[in-house]
Amino acid sequence: MQRQDIDVVVIGAGAAGMMAAASASQRGRGVALIDHSERLAEKIRISGGGRCNFTNTQAAADRYLSRNPHFCKSALAQYSQHDFIDLVNRYGVAWHEKKLGQLFCDDSAQNIIDLLKAECDLVGIEWRMGTSIASVEALDGGFVVRTNRETWHCQSLVIATGGLSIPPIGATGFGYDLARQFDLPVTPLAAGLVPLTFEPKDLYGELAGVSLDCEAHGGDGPSFRENVLFTHRGVSGPAILQISSYWTPGREISLDLLPGRDVSQLFEEARRSDMLLPNVLADWLPKRFAQAFCAAHGEVKPMKQYQVAELAALANHLHDWRVKPSGSEGYKKAEVTRGGVDTDALSSKTMMARKVPGLYFVGEVVDVTGWLGGYNFQWAWSSGWVAGQHA
Ligand code: FDA
């Protein structure tokens, strides 16, 4: 099979891989960008409901989960959200801030794909879409990458194959396997930013479609004040997706269903009335939810029949409603994979493996997972750009 020499091979033409290829080629490096998928950057295309939440103005290390919370600082400083916003502006892509610093395209996520493709084509790279990798090995201080089309011999190899979420659009564990092949540790993997499930017969299954403003807390992470959405199988919505990245199976999550509201006062005002408790709560909560919640916490009576202690207990439940999810919807619904190539094995300044000169890991394959809200793409841009400056 034909053997080609090139400076850099990037495997994975998603967010981080295209950024790494553009960054390296614009330094004058010859770059081949290989992806097994025929379609370019499918995850960008479907992201943000088709509008790509491409960064967050608040991107900083405290918005990322990693065994080493400091690891992402260097890349985020070297190529920040402001650098990416400048790039988006240079290409005249119209965007808006939706909420909480989240920036979306006005028109379509395709704008971001087109922009990255144009950046790769500025100097020129060898595109190899629909190309599968047969093997990778180290040779003569570089790497030999065998594909179904040709064999590349490169000085630097950048792995940008992403995580395990959404296998039908091309996700594989290639990057983790390659890390293991080179004796680099991989931290435990789990679905992140994912809906959580309840047991099928759970009472709350009947609430599918109901959405509430909540403060959610799960695991050892921070709490998130956003919407919770009941689904046929459990709970979703931004607040749940956020805490899912901190949740571990077997643990309870806690939801404050009326954040910032004084439920005791609401009860006190209605306490001597004939109103049924769910109708009182329906002032502040969706009626369907109020009914199901009251039914689950005892007999439903007119307010005046409740003891003060019973109402106090209910108020506590409303501010700290504990549920134990039975699991998550898994990689088929997860936006990201938690865990990845252990950051201890990589240089935070270059993204190169400390033990394997010339081998780089970027984007989601690394043990750096962002919150919901544009943080994961920012990590892909930052880590990809940095690797491209050194590869
Ligand atoms: P990415 O997954 O983008 O790219 C990996 C590439 O490697 C793919 O092109 C794949 O085909 C290729 N590949 C995999 N295995 C291979 C193999 N064996 N051989 C060759 N090629 C291989 N984030 C965010 O910040 N804002 C948002 O709006 C969203 N929205 C969103 C929606 C949905 C539905 C999902 C699933 C995810 C998001 N995300 C997001 C997360 C974001 O998409 C994700 O973090 C980045 O795409 C990660 O970029 P990477 O380049 O690391 O992987």
Side-chain angles (χ1 to χ4, degrees), residues 217-222 246-247 251:
H217 195 270
D220 302 320
Y246 294 90
W247 178 76
R251 289 187 72 160

Side-chain angles (χ1 to χ4, degrees), residues 11-18 34-37 39-44 46-49 51-55 104 129 131-133 160-163 165-166 169-175 193 333-336 362-365 371-378 380:
I11 304 182
M18 280 204 283
I34 305 176
D35 200 296
H36 65 164
S37 173
R39 301 187 62 167
L40 186 58
E42 276 293 88
K43 262 192 202 161
I44 299 181
I46 62 169
S47 68
R51 292 230 164 93
C52 187
N53 178 192
F54 57 81
T55 193
F104 286 76
M129 297 303 292
T131 301
S132 50
I133 309 292
T161 44
S165 55
I166 328 277
I169 59 166
T172 71
F174 178 90
L193 300 180
K333 290 278 174 69
E335 282 203 10
V336 289
V362 294
E364 197 179 317
V365 72
W371 288 2
L372 185 77
Y375 297 104
N376 285 296
F377 278 137
Q378 186 55 48

Side-chain angles (χ1 to χ4, degrees), residues 90-294:
R90 276 210 303 283
Y91 277 82
V93 174
W95 54 268
H96 61 279
E97 178 176 340
K98 204 165 173 185
K99 57 174 180 174
L100 305 169
Q102 301 168 3
L103 306 190
F104 286 76
C105 297
D106 284 358
D107 179 22
S108 158
Q110 189 63 42
N111 294 157
I112 300 295
I113 301 175
D114 293 345
L115 169 168
L116 290 165
K117 183 158 189 312
E119 280 290 290
C120 287
D121 289 337
L122 213 57
V123 178
I125 63 165
E126 299 281 345
W127 288 95
R128 292 294 185 277
M129 297 303 292
T131 301
S132 50
I133 309 292
S135 67
V136 173
E137 57 189 279
L139 184 77
D140 301 338
F143 302 88
V144 177
V145 180
R146 290 192 179 79
T147 75
N148 59 337
R149 291 186 180 188
E150 63 221 321
T151 295
W152 294 97
H153 189 209
C154 58
Q155 291 169 357
S156 299
L157 177 60
V158 181
I159 305 301
T161 44
L164 297 170
S165 55
I166 328 277
I169 59 166
T172 71
F174 178 90
Y176 310 120
D177 295 340
L178 192 96
R180 293 184 192 106
Q181 180 191 326
F182 283 90
D183 277 336
L184 304 175
V186 175
T187 65
L189 306 175
L193 300 180
V194 64
L196 299 174
T197 53
F198 293 157
E199 283 307 313
K201 291 204 168 33
D202 192 281
L203 179 74
Y204 293 93
E206 74 203 42
L207 290 173
V210 170
S211 154
L212 314 173
D213 170 35
C214 281
E215 182 149 339
H217 195 270
D220 302 320
S223 56
F224 293 88
R225 170 95 186 253
E226 288 217 55
N227 267 14
V228 167
L229 171 71
F230 285 82
T231 69
H232 287 287
R233 291 167 50 84
V235 276
S236 185
I240 297 297
L241 299 185
Q242 296 282 31
I243 63 166
S244 73
S245 293
Y246 294 90
W247 178 76
T248 45
R251 289 187 72 160
E252 287 182 328
I253 59 171
S254 158
L255 301 180
D256 182 346
L257 301 164
L258 290 168
R261 299 239 183 173
D262 187 350
V263 191
S264 332
Q265 195 181 336
L266 177 75
F267 285 165
E268 187 51 39
E269 281 160 15
R271 206 165 72 76
R272 280 173 253 289
S273 78
D274 284 325
M275 277 179 88
L276 289 174
L277 177 66
N279 295 342
V280 173
L281 283 175
D283 267 3
W284 283 358
L285 288 167
K287 191 161 186 177
R288 262 205 295 157
F289 182 83
Q291 282 168 339
F293 184 87
C294 294

